[in-house]
Amino acid sequence: MSLALSIPADRYWQALFDTLAMVGVSGAIAFVAGIPLAILLVVTAPQGFLASPRLNRVIGSLVNGFRATPFIVLLVALIPLTRLLVGTSIGVWAAIVPLAISATPFFARIAEVSLREVDAGLIEAAQAMGCKKWDIIRHVYLPEALPSIIGGFTITLVALISSSAMAGAVGAGGLGDLAIRYGYQRFDTQVMVLVIVMLIVLVTLVQFIGDRYVRWLKER
Amino acid sequence: MSYSLALRRDTLSKFSEFEKREPIQTKTETGDLLFNSSPKTVTKGINIVSFKSVIKLYPLATGDFYALKGIDLDIPTGSIFGIIGRSGAGKSSLLRTINRLEKPSSGQVFVGGIDIGGLNEVDLVKLRRRIGMIFQHFNLLSAKTVFENVALPLQVAGVPKADIQQRVSELLALVGLQDKHHTFPKRLSGGQKQRVGIARALATNPEILLCDEATSALDPETTQSILQLLRDINRQLGITIILITHEMSVIREIADQVVVLEQGEVAECGLVWKIFGNPQHEATKALLAPLQHHLPDDLQDRLQTTPPISGPYQQILQLSYNGENQLEPDLLRISQYFQGSSLLHGGVDRIQGHAHGRLLLAVDSNIALPDFKQLTQGNQAIAHHIEVLGYVAGTFHSR
Ligand SMILES: Nc1ncnc2c1ncn2[C@@H]1O[C@H](COP(=O)(O)OP(=O)(O)OP(=O)(O)O)[C@@H](O)[C@H]1O
Ligand SMILES: [Mg+2]
């Protein structure tokens, strides 16, 4: 490769690493927090086995509220909370707070749909064999919806990669930040193109791995 | 795919021994209930399930819909009990009140003498472990292997791993799937899936097995093998089987008693040979119609209501049998009364040892018909009912 880089290669690596850190950590948080939310949404729904319209409505509104707020607004609006949680409003860790908070309800809704699609006959069979509520969640809902949940999580990760680019606005770094700082503000087309290529590769890779995993789960 | 009967009987008896052995000791409250009791001793009384004025209504936007309109019914312990009825008659609704997948709007359901309406959460789970259930679409967990599927009822009951291992192996041997432990349900045929369903339903050693159209998704041959398995389970393990089916042949083959539901009510109920031999309700007659040997079309077309004015003709007689008094079609005696007659059509089925069916005879016009009354009554009877269906010109032999 005889390409002369306009900025040190380190910059790219650092940006990639920052993006991976932001997406990875906030994705993990969204997964861990989103699944219980999704379960709550499903089991408290009118047809669910813990039907509780009130709780369902409260969680539903909360989830909708966060989903309705554009990420860029959330990013700014959450600054006080971010400060409280990580002590600063600047940097990778500061970006993770709004990223996780916006990705969680997004993923929760997707996972909710996945859980809802679990055949009612399976839930019934589980009840008939003497499964308690928690058993049904653990042995029926989660494993049966897993392929679909993983598919949804892949979508969430891709969405996070794109949101994380915006987090450059709070000086979080990452690929998006690099593209804006050099590519846009300094008219460095090379940086712009390279970052876009890296993002495409990243997204493709995430999607590929996600799809592969889903296929493996389904084809067992 | 067929399983040798000998092999299965063998594994069955092995399985029964397993049942009689020392109860598996489990620490959990639920586990104790499971294994300390053998099916025959838990439930006293002749009726394992009793319905008392069971009503089920579904509130709909258009008003309440009564799926069950006051069902009173007893299901004898140890029997194979069939539930039939047209689509929407309330069969599933009724069956599902037994393990309370469906809660009656009013009335009581007694299982083993206990009114299950009053059970709390914990007791309901215990009850359900005494009642296995299999489904039309099998409802196996796709993310679990065959072994894990069958193990699940035991696992959630807190049975120790080693015991689960042994029990599941026995169960899979019982249903003829000993080589499929680690297969996922997706890779099984319909019949094999239902066998897994049966193994799973039997895991907690239940007293009752509920089957909601368990063979409806299977081909005739597979249906036969599943029915054979159900029969073995009933006979050898003493498990009461309550089954819904749209296939009257299933009832005829394995059920002892049958209830006919019609629009949420009991149309009739009783021994299968009686109901099938002499259906009273219009719904039952409609359900049984496919089992009848209908008149072939060509014969139907040639049939006249009055004898032809001239020329030879045939008198078409129908002799019917409904199973009463062990009366059998005695060909020798039939031919004594109707000499030179030919058997045109018909058939006889045996239900619980009782001959059922009808025979169509063509009797030449030069033979005078005797008084049917004599031939259908007392110990001289040759059939339960005899009637002239009509007349056909010419002869059948000359064709
Ligand atoms: N959850 C429900 N809500 C409203 N109506 C219902 C519900 N479940 C059943 N029904 C109605 O109750 C009636 C009886 O239903 P059920 O499923 O017991 O019939 P079935 O005899 O099992 O019929 P099939 O042979 O088609 O399975 C039907 O008319 C059905 O539409
Ligand atoms: Mg039904």
Side-chain angles (χ1 to χ4, degrees):
Chain A
M1 215 157 62
S2 59
L3 184 71
L5 290 175
S6 59
I7 57 168
D10 281 1
R11 284 284 175 81
Y12 288 102
W13 289 121
Q14 184 61 46
L16 178 65
F17 178 79
D18 287 350
T19 293
L20 289 178
M22 284 189 287
V23 171
V25 176
S26 56
I29 294 172
F31 191 86
V32 171
I35 298 250
L37 269 179
I39 291 172
L40 269 177
L41 280 168
V42 171
V43 299
T44 61
Q47 311 294 334
F49 58 65
L50 270 178
S52 161
R54 234 153 155 231
L55 185 61
N56 190 263
R57 227 172 302 129
V58 171
I59 303 171
S61 325
L62 212 70
V63 164
N64 286 347
F66 277 105
R67 286 196 55 204
T69 316
F71 177 69
I72 198 80
V73 176
L74 210 58
L75 196 60
V76 182
L78 285 177
I79 285 178
L81 178 70
T82 307
R83 276 226 183 86
L84 192 75
L85 288 176
V86 294
T88 170
S89 62
I90 292 172
V92 169
W93 288 101
I96 285 172
V97 174
L99 279 173
I101 288 180
S102 83
T104 299
F106 178 81
F107 175 62
R109 278 296 185 202
I110 295 183
E112 182 200 353
V113 173
S114 305
L115 292 171
R116 219 182 271 294
E117 275 167 4
V118 172
D119 183 356
L122 298 183
I123 313 293
E124 223 158 58
Q127 286 174 324
M129 74 174 80
C131 284
K132 297 183 183 132
K133 294 179 172 91
W134 169 243
D135 298 324
I136 294 178
I137 291 169
R138 189 179 144 202
H139 293 292
V140 185
Y141 269 125
L142 289 177
E144 291 300 313
L146 190 63
S148 175
I149 287 177
I150 296 301
F153 187 59
T154 309
I155 295 173
T156 308
L157 282 182
V158 170
L160 268 174
I161 293 173
S162 124
S163 309
S164 73
M166 276 185 252
V170 292
L175 288 169
D177 185 37
L178 196 68
I180 289 174
R181 213 171 287 192
Y182 292 91
Y184 178 66
Q185 288 165 358
R186 297 193 196 166
F187 306 103
D188 187 335
T189 316
Q190 187 195 40
V191 176
M192 190 66 109
V193 170
L194 276 179
V195 165
I196 289 173
V197 169
M198 284 171 84
L199 283 172
I200 290 174
V201 169
L202 189 58
V203 168
T204 310
L205 207 67
V206 167
Q207 192 67 51
F208 177 78
I209 294 172
D211 289 349
R212 260 306 166 89
Y213 187 39
V214 170
R215 184 143 35 108
W216 180 77
L217 283 175
K218 281 189 177 167
E219 278 186 359
R220 288 189 303 192
Chain B
M1 149 207 44
S2 68
Y3 302 87
S4 97
L5 189 68
L7 175 81
R8 204 167 46 238
R9 291 243 184 259
D10 187 47
T11 49
L12 258 170
S13 57
K14 232 172 75 198
F15 178 79
S16 308
E17 276 162 34
F18 176 74
E19 297 295 309
K20 280 184 230 119
R21 279 186 356 209
E22 284 284 297
I24 297 170
Q25 290 305 319
T26 53
K27 308 278 177 301
T28 62
E29 8 83 70
T30 46
D32 289 344
L33 176 122
L34 281 179
F35 292 104
N36 287 343
S37 47
S38 103
K40 285 137 220 150
T41 58
V42 172
T43 306
K44 307 234 157 50
I46 43 168
N47 294 321
I48 195 159
V49 178
S50 290
F51 300 92
K52 300 263 185 273
S53 327
V54 171
I55 291 177
K56 175 73 192 177
L57 63 84
Y58 295 106
L60 298 178
T62 51
D64 290 344
F65 177 81
Y66 284 82
L68 299 175
K69 301 171 185 164
I71 301 286
D72 286 291
L73 191 64
D74 292 322
I75 297 178
T77 307
S79 64
I80 299 185
F81 193 95
I83 302 177
I84 58 175
R86 297 188 174 113
S87 195
K91 304 181 294 294
S92 299
S93 301
L94 183 68
L95 189 80
R96 292 153 51 88
T97 60
I98 298 172
N99 59 358
R100 230 175 77 190
L101 284 179
E102 210 81 75
K103 198 174 176 159
S105 311
S106 77
Q108 294 148 299
V109 179
F110 293 87
V111 177
I114 296 163
D115 179 0
I116 63 165
L119 296 185
N120 61 24
E121 188 85 34
V122 175
D123 288 334
L124 183 60
V125 166
K126 285 186 189 172
L127 171 84
R128 285 174 173 166
R129 288 179 183 152
R130 290 167 47 198
I131 304 174
M133 188 166 189
I134 56 176
F135 306 84
Q136 177 176 7
H137 298 296
F138 323 122
N139 294 353
L140 301 180
L141 298 171
S142 67
K144 293 189 187 292
T145 61
V146 165
F147 181 93
E148 290 165 340
N149 266 283
V150 178
L152 186 55
L154 299 167
Q155 195 183 340
V156 299
V159 176
K161 270 226 162 70
D163 295 334
I164 292 182
Q165 180 74 42
Q166 173 164 8
R167 175 83 176 156
V168 174
S169 300
E170 302 270 1
L171 286 161
L172 289 178
L174 167 73
V175 299
L177 292 176
Q178 46 277 77
D179 55 340
K180 300 281 184 206
H181 279 58
H182 304 298
T183 309
F184 281 91
K186 208 182 135 189
R187 309 224 179 277
L188 298 178
S189 71
Q192 290 172 325
K193 282 183 191 161
Q194 197 58 290
R195 284 168 185 275
V196 178
I198 291 172
R200 181 177 71 176
L202 295 181
T204 52
N205 193 11
E207 297 149 66
I208 306 174
L209 181 62
L210 308 178
C211 315
D212 196 344
E213 297 186 38
T215 57
S216 297
L218 305 175
D219 65 57
E221 192 188 343
T222 317
T223 296
Q224 284 308 319
S225 75
I226 294 291
L227 292 183
Q228 180 62 47
L229 179 57
L230 290 179
R231 197 185 282 122
D232 288 351
I233 287 167
N234 171 256
R235 300 284 139 85
Q236 312 214 11
L237 305 180
I239 296 175
T240 307
I241 296 182
I242 307 172
L243 60 91
I244 294 178
T245 182
H246 284 286
E247 299 159 284
M248 295 307 121
S249 55
V250 168
I251 299 289
R252 191 176 62 195
E253 268 160 60
I254 73 167
D256 303 311
Q257 292 198 27
V258 65
V259 62
V260 185
L261 291 187
E262 173 70 354
Q263 299 191 349
E265 286 174 300
V266 174
E268 55 187 311
C269 179
L271 293 172
V272 173
W273 71 265
K274 281 196 169 162
I275 302 280
F276 275 37
N278 197 5
Q280 297 298 312
H281 197 279
E282 172 268 329
T284 319
K285 289 178 186 162
L287 287 167
L288 293 176
L291 285 189
Q292 303 278 310
H293 297 273
H294 287 284
L295 230 46
D297 283 346
D298 65 323
L299 186 62
Q300 183 80 59
D301 291 344
R302 292 168 64 194
L303 209 60
Q304 305 169 0
T305 49
T306 51
I309 319 249
S310 61
Y313 62 91
Q314 301 282 317
Q315 313 167 83
I316 309 299
L317 296 194
Q318 173 175 275
L319 280 62
S320 2
Y321 298 86
N322 64 19
E324 295 284 350
N325 305 326
Q326 304 295 333
L327 181 57
E328 309 266 343
D330 182 334
L331 292 180
L332 181 64
R333 295 193 43 232
I334 291 172
S335 65
Q336 273 169 7
Y337 289 104
F338 307 109
Q339 282 164 25
S341 64
S342 54
L343 182 55
L344 283 185
H345 186 72
V348 172
D349 295 311
R350 302 197 68 80
I351 310 180
Q352 300 167 319
H354 299 261
H356 277 261
R358 62 173 191 172
L359 304 175
L360 294 192
L361 300 186
V363 182
D364 207 82
S365 49
N366 57 30
I367 292 177
L369 297 179
D371 179 12
F372 292 159
K373 224 172 190 165
Q374 275 185 354
L375 301 183
T376 54
Q377 279 168 7
N379 49 12
Q380 288 305 305
I382 58 166
H384 290 104
H385 185 74
I386 303 178
E387 67 179 301
V388 178
L389 290 185
Y391 307 89
V392 170
T395 62
F396 280 95
H397 313 286
S398 62
R399 285 229 283 157

